[in-house]
Amino acid sequence: MNDDTTLVERLTNALVRCPSVVGTQGEVTVMGVVDAALRELTAVRDGHVRIYRIPCERDGVGRFTLVAHLPGHSPTAVLLFGHTDTVGIRDYGSLEALAFEPDRLTAEIAQGVLGNDLARRARTGLWQFGRGILDMKAGVAASMAAFDALTTAPPNCHIFWAVTPDEEVGSVGVQALIPWLQTVLSAERLRLVGTINADFVTIRDGVIPWYLGSLGKLLGGVYVQGEPSHVGEPTEGIDPNWILAHITRAIVYNRDLGEESPDESTPLPVSLRQRDHKDVYDVQTAPSASAFYNLFSMNKAPHKVLSSLRMVVEEAVRGLTNESLGLGDNSIPVWTFAELWSQVDSSEQAGIIEASIAVSDLRDRSLALITRAARHVKRGPLVVVFFATGLIPSVSSEPHLNSLLTQVIADLPQQSDPICLRQFYPYISDLSFLAPAPSWWNDSVFTANFPPTRARLVPTIKSKPVTDWVSMIGAAGRGGHRADEGIYCPYTYRVLPVALEMVTRAMATREVPTLP
């Protein structure tokens, strides 16, 4: 591979300096920066590479996925891809104006504005900081350098390189990419044997991880119906925020709601949104409240996740005895959405569904259905557990890719930092939409307790998995989604592009087993 350090550094810095917070016009602008850099590659200028812009369907921002295709001679293909959107920058506080200026921000951090530990890291000259530099603009730059090297000495197979928008919220970019890939693969009779996502990895104890798959995610929901009262007579009603606070305390950081294997464990659950349902301030307690909880999984099916969630909620609610409120054990029922819905008259179900159609966000649509259903069924305190949105399945190429990646690691030049292999990427990723995954959409408990599905108000899933193997090999650093977001430059700028090229070539020549 040619020395592409200059390309990787130059493109990384150019991408970071172009703000591309998810959902903003910057997502379109940054794609223009990527497109311009791509068209500077020799193989692109010589016409050996085809470039495509794939618009995101019904997208008000005008976002698109960018694809480069290097045709090959064999009936196989490999995909390198990543995303260009970032989260926002409020977490930078007084440094917000420097969030997209890597050199200036790194210099400020070296002066100690984010603490002595980060200052020492910045002063080594081995780290660079900025919003999106780790997640995942340096990975995009490194994968482009790898693609450039592949075009210089092409393998037999077809190579696709893609960058997508909106990984951070709705994955609309990869959802546009998948049907396009299916069409091309079918038309050219190709098999996509492997996909490499260059998203970020976190260095822990000096070790850089590579992953053979990605975690699944379910968004657990809890709805609490209270009984409103005047604040001057608080015991004449029941405040749903009080109930929900105890439930949240029982769920957040609860290891029993995670999953463990001998070598890995899922991140602990946290609350992603919690609120009551008062539209305005007044001196009446809220009628209801709700919260969404992030629940990761490796192999745990949705029906088991819901069962575990319900047990934790029931235990929390059982502890809410309060003589002043007339509450004793089991005073507050805990139902699943399926149990709630079964108690709504069929004649009333249609009206509840009709009133929810206008709510576009699936999480809010779930709450709208539950709120109306609960009011039809019961007065007074009630807790409902449910799934607040669609699932993201876990995917894994273990053990098929283990020996291949082990050999690449052993052959890597200029690699002094230890690299380890792990099975599940510990953050959700777009890999989950590309590879064979458990048929969790067929889990009857999931479909019965994801309100829009039960009410036939969930979008149709339009695409099926398109690749055999998946792996996550990306920029290495620390601080993803934090103000200390930064990359470890020696590995990210020098080793990663070489690694991505070597893994792509290895996938292109490796016999792929028939996967279930």
Side-chain angles (χ1 to χ4, degrees):
M1 177 173 176
N2 298 328
D3 182 5
D4 283 311
T5 302
T6 302
L7 168 63
V8 179
E9 288 190 42
R10 186 176 69 249
L11 182 56
T12 295
N13 281 271
L15 293 177
V16 176
R17 285 194 295 267
C18 182
S20 55
V21 175
V22 62
T24 69
Q25 190 62 35
E27 285 201 81
V28 178
T29 304
V30 77
M31 281 295 191
V33 176
V34 176
D35 194 354
L38 186 63
R39 293 178 188 277
E40 288 297 311
L41 303 185
T42 300
V44 177
R45 292 200 310 266
D46 292 346
H48 300 309
V49 172
R50 307 166 187 168
I51 297 180
Y52 304 88
R53 290 189 175 199
I54 306 159
C56 298
E57 190 174 340
R58 293 189 299 275
D59 184 66
V61 184
R63 295 172 293 189
F64 59 90
T65 287
L66 184 66
V67 180
H69 175 201
L70 176 67
H73 302 290
S74 75
T76 57
V78 177
L79 168 67
L80 275 163
F81 87 107
H83 68 87
T84 50
D85 61 309
T86 74
V87 294
I89 59 173
R90 288 185 180 179
D91 52 319
Y92 283 86
S94 62
L95 295 174
E96 193 171 301
L98 302 181
F100 300 114
E101 297 290 340
D103 292 340
R104 293 172 60 196
L105 178 62
T106 302
E108 284 294 311
I109 291 175
Q111 297 303 312
V113 294
L114 293 181
N116 292 331
D117 288 343
L118 278 172
R120 283 191 290 268
R121 194 186 304 171
R123 290 186 199 123
T124 65
L126 303 178
W127 288 77
Q128 194 174 19
F129 300 87
R131 172 57 81 230
I133 196 168
L134 178 64
D135 184 13
M136 59 161 288
K137 291 178 176 179
V140 168
S143 68
M144 182 185 288
F147 180 73
D148 185 30
L150 290 161
T151 66
T152 303
N156 253 346
C157 77
H158 294 248
I159 304 294
F160 293 93
W161 180 84
V163 282
T164 65
D166 183 35
E167 186 266 358
E168 300 291 357
V169 174
S171 295
V172 301
V174 77
Q175 295 292 0
L177 174 64
I178 289 172
W180 182 89
L181 273 175
Q182 289 173 319
T183 300
V184 172
L185 295 172
S186 176
E188 302 201 23
R189 298 183 178 180
L190 301 178
R191 179 179 181 182
L192 188 63
V193 296
T195 294
I196 308 164
N197 191 347
D199 212 335
F200 79 97
V201 300
T202 298
I203 301 173
R204 299 192 188 281
D205 300 321
V207 179
I208 297 169
W210 290 6
Y211 296 94
L212 298 108
S214 189
L215 284 178
K217 172 187 170 178
L218 288 156
L219 189 64
V222 173
Y223 171 86
V224 178
Q225 180 173 274
E227 191 164 352
S229 68
H230 190 285
V231 295
E233 299 177 326
T235 59
E236 295 300 312
I238 296 179
D239 185 352
N241 289 317
W242 175 69
I243 300 172
L244 188 58
H246 284 79
I247 292 172
T248 294
R249 183 180 181 185
I251 291 174
V252 171
Y253 305 140
N254 187 335
R255 292 190 180 278
D256 293 339
L257 290 173
E259 192 174 352
E260 295 185 358
S261 71
D263 300 318
E264 299 175 70
S265 60
T266 57
L268 299 176
V270 293
S271 173
L272 291 181
R273 192 176 84 181
Q274 179 166 321
R275 64 181 185 182
D276 63 34
H277 301 150
K278 287 179 65 172
D279 296 326
V280 296
Y281 172 83
D282 59 26
V283 292
Q284 184 187 52
T285 58
S288 59
S290 62
F292 301 145
Y293 306 97
N294 197 67
L295 303 173
F296 285 116
S297 63
M298 293 187 286
N299 300 300
K300 200 171 182 180
H303 68 274
K304 292 184 178 179
V305 172
L306 189 70
S307 176
S308 299
L309 179 63
R310 182 180 190 170
M311 288 177 61
V312 170
V313 172
E314 286 178 332
E315 184 175 352
V317 171
R318 276 198 299 270
L320 296 179
T321 55
N322 189 305
E323 292 182 4
S324 297
L325 297 174
L327 291 178
D329 288 349
N330 303 316
S331 294
I332 304 174
V334 177
W335 296 342
T336 64
F337 172 73
E339 291 167 346
L340 170 67
W341 193 250
S342 69
Q343 297 184 59
V344 179
D345 291 340
S346 57
S347 60
E348 295 172 336
Q349 288 179 354
I352 293 172
I353 292 171
E354 182 66 28
S356 305
I357 290 176
V359 183
S360 58
D361 183 270
L362 290 179
R363 295 166 289 258
D364 291 334
R365 186 180 293 173
S366 295
L367 287 174
L369 285 159
I370 293 171
T371 300
R372 291 181 174 91
R375 290 171 182 170
H376 277 77
V377 170
K378 185 182 184 301
R379 276 195 66 183
L382 167 68
V383 176
V384 181
V385 294
F386 61 102
F387 292 117
T389 192
L391 61 86
I392 297 175
S394 65
V395 293
S396 178
S397 298
E398 171 72 23
H400 306 290
L401 270 185
N402 199 305
S403 61
L404 183 150
L405 295 184
T406 298
Q407 187 60 55
V408 170
I409 292 169
D411 294 342
L412 267 176
Q414 301 177 344
Q415 172 56 19
S416 57
D417 300 289
I419 297 172
C420 69
L421 294 181
R422 293 285 183 263
Q423 185 172 358
F424 292 104
Y425 184 60
Y427 321 105
I428 57 173
S429 78
D430 283 345
L431 284 178
S432 290
F433 301 104
L434 288 157
S439 299
W440 286 350
W441 281 98
N442 297 324
D443 186 316
S444 60
V445 171
F446 172 76
T447 55
N449 289 286
F450 176 31
T453 301
R454 185 60 176 253
R456 297 173 184 169
L457 289 172
V458 66
T460 303
I461 301 171
K462 297 181 179 179
S463 56
K464 296 180 180 179
V466 293
T467 191
D468 292 307
W469 289 336
V470 291
S471 61
M472 183 69 75
I473 304 170
R478 295 188 67 84
H481 291 202
R482 301 198 311 251
D484 63 333
E485 177 177 354
I487 58 168
Y488 177 57
C489 299
Y491 171 85
T492 301
Y493 285 153
R494 297 180 181 89
V495 178
L496 180 59
V498 180
L500 293 171
E501 180 198 354
M502 291 175 65
V503 173
T504 302
R505 291 188 186 280
M507 284 183 172
T509 57
R510 182 73 169 265
E511 182 178 348
V512 182
T514 301
L515 301 181

